[in-house]
Amino acid sequence: MDSVRSEPLPAPAKPFTALKILIAGGFGAGKTTMVGAVSEIQPLRTEEYLTEAGAGIDDAEGLEQKTTTTVAIDFGRITFDEHLALYLFGTPGQDRFWFFWDDIAQGALGAVVIADTRRLEDCFPAVDYFERRETPFVVAVNCFAGSRQYRANQVAAALDLDPGIPVVLCDARNRESAKEVLIALVEQVRRGRHR
């Protein structure tokens, strides 16, 4: 009987993994800006101009320069290699668009809650949402020019955050600063899985 020589089987291909990250926070906090700053692709934006029709609905106090608002999602991507990418989903900030947050949040690895210290109370609903869903999150304090600066521990106390929730000071316009926020989130997710 002739012996049959078998060739070694090729190694199985490593599957592609896409991790979903939410970028949330109040109206005008910098969600669209952060997605745009860190995304490697031209982000998908669903922005519309603010109109008189929303004047009694959207609280734009302190945001007089804001002319547009996200009405569905922002989407961006960061690819690490041929096997791993982060998909960034920026959520709308107004209460009237919260009806589809559950759909947007489905399957999310974690979230970034962007806080504007000029309107800190606007990020409470997002913090509460992720706490209730037990979704890992970090708070990113968007340090706007001309606004009073606070330390991370002061913001954590004002938001009454659990001790393990990181607060990161950032500039949502700056790619490196936005990347540091995402790194803090990934570290938060990893810590949660090793408890």
Side-chain angles (χ1 to χ4, degrees), residues 3-193:
S3 65
V4 177
R5 202 165 132 184
S6 64
E7 295 292 322
L9 294 174
K14 187 175 177 184
F16 179 78
T17 302
L19 304 174
K20 183 178 188 180
I21 302 292
L22 301 181
I23 310 294
F27 179 57
K31 299 173 298 295
T32 298
T33 301
M34 180 174 277
V35 171
V38 76
S39 179
E40 69 190 17
I41 61 169
Q42 180 68 33
L44 166 70
R45 293 190 170 127
T46 57
E47 289 199 305
E48 293 294 333
Y49 284 102
L50 294 170
T51 65
E52 287 297 316
I57 300 169
D58 299 327
D59 178 12
E61 184 178 336
L63 304 172
E64 288 76 16
Q65 303 300 325
K66 186 166 177 58
T67 59
T68 61
T69 187
T70 300
V71 296
I73 62 167
D74 297 313
F75 175 78
R77 182 185 73 212
I78 303 170
T79 304
F80 293 97
D81 59 31
E82 66 272 12
H83 304 293
L84 179 63
L86 284 183
Y87 289 166
L88 308 172
F89 288 80
T91 64
Q94 298 100 308
D95 295 347
R96 61 190 163 124
F97 296 118
W98 276 65
F99 65 92
F100 61 84
W101 265 53
D102 286 340
D103 292 332
I104 296 170
Q106 193 72 27
L109 177 71
V112 172
V113 176
I114 300 184
D116 175 353
T117 58
R118 301 170 300 177
R119 298 165 51 104
L120 194 58
E121 67 281 356
D122 289 357
C123 72
F124 275 109
V127 168
D128 292 342
Y129 181 85
F130 297 120
E131 285 179 340
R132 278 194 316 274
R133 289 181 64 94
E134 297 182 357
T135 301
F137 71 96
V138 299
V139 173
V141 179
N142 195 4
C143 300
F144 288 91
S147 66
R148 184 173 172 201
Q149 302 300 305
Y150 296 90
R151 293 186 310 274
N153 65 330
Q154 291 174 303
V155 174
L159 292 175
D160 194 27
L161 296 175
D162 289 339
I165 305 297
V167 176
V168 182
L169 304 180
C170 74
D171 180 344
R173 302 166 298 181
N174 181 282
R175 181 176 177 81
E176 292 305 313
S177 186
K179 283 167 57 175
E180 291 298 319
V181 170
L182 295 174
I183 290 168
L185 175 60
V186 170
E187 289 173 353
Q188 175 71 352
V189 170
R190 288 181 56 196
R191 275 192 299 273
R193 290 188 174 172

